[in-house]
Amino acid sequence: MYAIIKNGGKQYKVQEGDYLNVDRLDAQPKEKIVVTEVLAVNNGELKVGAPFVNGATVELEVVTEGKDKKVITFKKRRRKDSKVKRGFRRQYTRVKVVSIKA
């Protein structure tokens, strides 16, 4: 059984027991989060919502919080003496999928 959920403007395909990194949430470790924005559920047959599946929920458990690796953006315009170097580290919350209810 798997589900496709929406969180933070992104879509994730999840199964029970999966770990995934979502955008930073205001939650403490061991806290449960219920996601109701379920776009599709497959448990033998595929149910697709319009836009969400009625009555479907995915329960997540917060594991930890952290930062991703640094991403460097470097822009240079040749012959213009113009260059910009910037770095970015995305903050995330690591969650475990506890159950999928359809």
Side-chain angles (χ1 to χ4, degrees), residues 83-98:
K83 49 192 169 206
V84 176
K85 180 179 178 182
R86 292 206 172 111
F88 173 75
R89 289 183 76 181
R90 184 187 127 198
Q91 296 182 345
Y92 66 85
T93 301
R94 187 161 177 84
V95 295
K96 179 182 180 183
V97 180
V98 177

Side-chain angles (χ1 to χ4, degrees), residues 29-45:
K30 304 281 185 186
E31 191 174 324
K32 304 278 185 187
I33 297 170
V34 177
V35 177
T36 57
E37 294 183 335
V38 179
L39 302 171
V41 176
N42 187 350
N43 56 353
E45 67 176 89

Side-chain angles (χ1 to χ4, degrees), residues 3-102:
I4 298 174
I5 63 172
K6 179 181 169 187
N7 183 285
K10 300 177 187 79
Q11 297 176 6
Y12 301 96
K13 180 180 177 183
V14 297
Q15 294 180 337
E16 289 185 13
D18 281 356
Y19 290 89
L20 65 141
N21 296 339
V22 297
D23 288 341
R24 172 70 58 90
L25 302 171
D26 269 343
Q28 300 298 321
K30 304 281 185 186
E31 191 174 324
K32 304 278 185 187
I33 297 170
V34 177
V35 177
T36 57
E37 294 183 335
V38 179
L39 302 171
V41 176
N42 187 350
N43 56 353
E45 67 176 89
L46 182 66
K47 290 183 198 172
V48 180
F52 305 119
V53 178
N54 290 331
T57 59
V58 175
E59 187 176 342
L60 307 174
E61 179 182 350
V62 176
V63 178
T64 185
E65 293 182 341
K67 290 184 177 181
D68 270 345
K69 291 183 177 179
K70 186 175 280 191
V71 176
I72 303 293
T73 60
F74 186 77
K75 299 178 183 176
K76 182 174 190 234
R77 293 166 192 88
R78 62 186 188 154
R79 299 184 303 270
K80 303 293 185 204
D81 194 28
S82 170
K83 49 192 169 206
V84 176
K85 180 179 178 182
R86 292 206 172 111
F88 173 75
R89 289 183 76 181
R90 184 187 127 198
Q91 296 182 345
Y92 66 85
T93 301
R94 187 161 177 84
V95 295
K96 179 182 180 183
V97 180
V98 177
S99 66
I100 300 171
K101 297 178 181 138

